[in-house]
């Protein structure tokens, strides 16, 4: 079934009716009001088909649950999703999810062949659904050969953030040290992998826990230079001695923070004069604490990093970074990270489907990636 | 009595004994161990006279008590004072006080005439005393005509800090707004005066208090554009509206903080995207709280400012700034600020002398300046 979109454009008045169009039934997680995702999200079933303005019918293969998706549903994220009735809901709603990997199932434009895979070109498409009609401008076609489904679904937000955190603030040379908290977060792990690829040395802070040695081993395995718990970090004299020993008294000029709260204060002790401390997350959901003395006497600078703004300011950078990441994945130096693959099977009943999804939302231990099949 | 220092140098072996030298009896506040100034400071009496290596005998006229002096005594300031037995104490001690104005009473070098006034060239001379022997390199001779004793004694630390806070971080143009907390601190008041001189607009935050209107009037009188209490500041919606109105929707790009704690969080709400927030003090003695969101999504940058380091890095700037300040004082645009002049009269008994000084140390309401007479 091949459609010519130009014929379509000439026949807008009678669109659909003059053609045999394949409709598919889709399922989406939607919300109509901001709030706790567990409360406000509901399952919605809809029909979808390619149209002249959105001539590509795509099936979602995998979409991650990112912390910013949750913040967006809560209404505490600066970029709001648009509410509309495109999915034929009674009241305007939005589909959350900002990244994911899709496969073309149907296209009115013969340039886009069924079976071809793509990732989202922009944020806010709404990726927590099974099918959507898309425009060429919604999709980013990359050569995904050698890239796993999970890697393709999570190719932008975390890897690009990790990449920029190490590249954009200070010029680290081979052998230079940096320190990061939340080192076992997905971004943290990607930072570790990139630092190993680039010959940088990392001091990685994790929360103490019963199975801490297992986690330490895992982080060493993906490339961490040193892993210390928050409890070990609090032993200031010992840590300063260790860091002097590790760095050959060169110290640490870059700190990365995704936790906030007191963790920043603890981390800041180990950043040397004129160093920079970058905040890119706030997993503790607390304001960050910072010693005035470190700012005044050590001249430490605090900045934030937000990938969305960076890509908006330097759009040409996105592909450049993605191509590097893909190269690292292909040559085996940037591994797929451990995550929970949440199978949302189309044969599940609505209630079972929703239950499976809600369990994923509740899981704060591991990265959750929705797999639609 | 004219001495030739070169003859002195030739006669080091028999120095003093070959000459008639005037000894004076001095009083100094000294400490031997770091701690609470009220506990560790004691009064010490000593003889002092010019020597070949310190040929200028100076009498202190006025020396302020700066917060950093207190921190130095407590041992929490990064620059430590050297302990020695120069004042013939049994155990090594230090004289605190980093700035002050002196008058030459005697000199072995005829280039330095008795009666001439100078301020300290460097920090850590120890200015909380009545007399000292000084070298040329200890003293900064400026034309102090038209400068009051209080202004001369406090010419460096606070005015130069205020100057740099407004000049060093972002380029403010005439009519541009900034916001500061602790606006009634001495630096805060100097920031207000300089901003008026340079045509800048200020939003000044003070703590709410019973006589708040009186303080507001005072700050308006010295040049504040707007004065708001911390309580008023907490009304976010109202304040945002007011700031939009005041700034013609241009917003505020620079914030100055000398308080720390939650005050920084409250202030940061009113700094616009890509703005800078500078910390130069921590009067609350608490770590500062900062919203991760302001760093990440508003791209606000936090820096510190420390005059000592700045002057070390750019020594040529000090005189440049001081000359500007002196010019502003002479043309009447930079006023002497209200302070408590603490008269340490030489006729007082040791115990009364110490009591007067301790009362000054205890007074946290107003800037204290020791007047030796």
């Amino acid at each position: 079934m091949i459609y010519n979109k130009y014929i379509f454009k000439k026949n807008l008045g009678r669109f659909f009716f003059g053609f045999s169009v394949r409709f598919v039934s889709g399922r989406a997680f939607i919300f109509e009001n901001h709030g706790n995702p567990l409360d406000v999200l509901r399952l919605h079933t809809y029909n979808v088909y390619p149209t002249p303005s959105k001539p590509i019918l795509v099936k979602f293969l995998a979409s991650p649950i990112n912390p910013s998706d949750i913040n967006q549903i809560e209404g505490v994220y600066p970029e709001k999703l648009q509410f509309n009735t495109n999915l034929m809901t009674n009241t305007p709603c939005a589909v959350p999810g900002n990244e994911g990997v899709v496969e073309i199932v149907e296209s009115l434009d013969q340039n886009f062949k069924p079976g071809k895979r793509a990732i989202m070109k922009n944020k806010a498409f709404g990726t927590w659904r099974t099918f959507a009609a898309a425009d060429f401008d919604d999709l980013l076609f990359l050569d995904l050969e050698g890239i796993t489904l999970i890697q393709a679904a999570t190719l932008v937000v975390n890897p690009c953030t990790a990449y920029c955190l190490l590249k954009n603030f200070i010029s680290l040379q081979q052998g230079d040290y940096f320190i990061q908290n939340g080192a076992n977060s997905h971004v943290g792990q990607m930072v570790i992998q990139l630092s190993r690829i680039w010959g940088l040395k990392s001091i990685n802070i994790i929360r103490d826990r019963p199975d801490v040695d297992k986690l330490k081993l895992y982080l060493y395995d993906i490339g961490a230079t040193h892993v210390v718990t928050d409890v070990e970090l609090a032993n200031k004299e010992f840590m300063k001695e260790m860091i002097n020993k590790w760095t050959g008294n060169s110290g640490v000029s870059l700190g990365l923070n995704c936790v906030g709260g007191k963790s920043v204060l603890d981390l800041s002790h180990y950043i040397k004069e004129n160093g920079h401390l970058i905040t890119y997350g706030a997993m503790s959901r607390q304001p960050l604490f910072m010693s005035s003395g470190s700012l005044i006497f050590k001249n430490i600078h605090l900045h934030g990093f937000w990938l969305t703004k960076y890509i908006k300011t330097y759009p040409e950078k996105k592909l450049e970074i993605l191509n590097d990441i893909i190269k690292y994945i292909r040559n085996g130096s940037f591994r797929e990270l451990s995550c929970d693959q949440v199978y949302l099977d189309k044969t599940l009943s609505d209630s079972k489907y929703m239950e499976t999804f809600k369990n994923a939302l509740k899981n704060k231990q591991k990265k959750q990636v929705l797999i639609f099949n």
Side-chain angles (χ1 to χ4, degrees), chain A residues 182-197:
Chain A
N184 57 322
S185 72
H186 255 218
V187 174
Q189 292 183 46
M190 288 173 177
V191 163
I192 291 173
Q193 296 208 74
L194 288 174
S195 69
R196 195 202 53 230
I197 293 168

Side-chain angles (χ1 to χ4, degrees), chain A residues 67-69 71-80 123 306 308:
Chain A
S68 54
D69 300 330
N71 297 151
Q72 226 165 10
I73 298 163
E74 292 167 334
V76 297
Y77 199 73
E79 272 188 321
K80 309 287 180 205
K123 292 183 77 180
W306 188 24
T308 303

Side-chain angles (χ1 to χ4, degrees), chain A residues 315-326:
Chain A
E316 74 285 0
K317 285 282 178 189
K318 185 172 168 181
L319 262 187
E320 207 180 301
I321 298 171
L322 286 177
N323 284 333
D324 272 354
I325 301 284
I326 289 173

Side-chain angles (χ1 to χ4, degrees), chain A residues 7-220:
Chain A
I7 292 176
F8 251 106
K9 279 188 179 165
K10 281 184 192 150
N11 291 283
L12 275 179
R14 54 192 192 90
F15 101 89
F16 293 135
F17 303 102
F19 299 86
S20 118
V21 176
R22 193 158 74 180
F23 289 65
V24 292
S25 173
R27 272 164 159 174
F29 300 106
I30 62 169
F31 68 106
E32 286 144 18
N33 297 295
H34 292 295
N36 181 335
L38 288 170
D39 299 332
V40 299
L41 286 170
R42 65 180 178 88
L43 186 63
H44 174 67
T45 305
Y46 55 97
N47 288 330
V48 61
Y49 34 77
T51 66
S53 67
K54 291 185 179 290
I56 308 168
L57 181 67
V58 297
K59 170 180 170 20
F60 278 89
L61 302 175
S63 306
I65 299 178
N66 285 323
S68 54
D69 300 330
I70 301 296
N71 297 151
Q72 226 165 10
I73 298 163
E74 292 167 334
V76 297
Y77 199 73
E79 272 188 321
K80 309 287 180 205
L81 294 176
Q82 285 201 325
F83 291 77
N84 58 49
T85 53
N86 291 354
L87 293 186
M88 308 301 275
T89 48
N90 289 329
T91 48
C93 74
V95 181
N98 287 284
E99 65 176 344
V101 56
V102 300
E103 185 175 287
I104 297 176
V105 287
E106 189 88 51
S107 173
L108 305 189
D109 181 333
Q110 54 185 316
N111 291 314
F112 303 100
K113 299 270 186 264
K116 182 127 185 87
R117 289 185 178 187
I119 62 171
M120 295 299 107
K121 190 179 263 171
N122 305 302
K123 292 183 77 180
F125 183 88
T127 63
W128 295 1
R129 62 172 127 193
T130 53
F131 290 96
D135 185 12
F136 168 70
D137 282 337
D138 294 324
L139 304 171
L140 183 60
F141 291 93
L142 296 167
D143 178 3
L144 295 174
E145 169 120 26
I147 313 297
T148 69
L149 202 64
I150 298 296
Q151 286 173 326
T154 59
L155 200 58
V156 180
V157 178
N158 287 351
C160 292
T161 297
Y163 190 106
C164 291
L165 288 171
L166 288 177
K167 286 280 192 195
N168 290 13
F169 293 91
I170 67 168
S171 168
L172 291 169
Q173 306 302 312
Q174 283 225 350
D176 282 354
Y177 269 83
F178 65 93
I179 188 167
Q180 66 166 340
N181 63 20
N184 57 322
S185 72
H186 255 218
V187 174
Q189 292 183 46
M190 288 173 177
V191 163
I192 291 173
Q193 296 208 74
L194 288 174
S195 69
R196 195 202 53 230
I197 293 168
W198 294 332
L200 307 175
K201 307 279 189 185
S202 57
I203 299 167
N204 299 281
I205 309 164
I206 53 173
R207 263 173 305 132
D208 200 15
R209 62 192 73 203
D211 60 345
V212 71
D213 287 335
K214 202 173 137 197
L215 178 55
K216 281 189 174 185
L217 278 178
Y218 170 73
L219 294 178
Y220 285 127

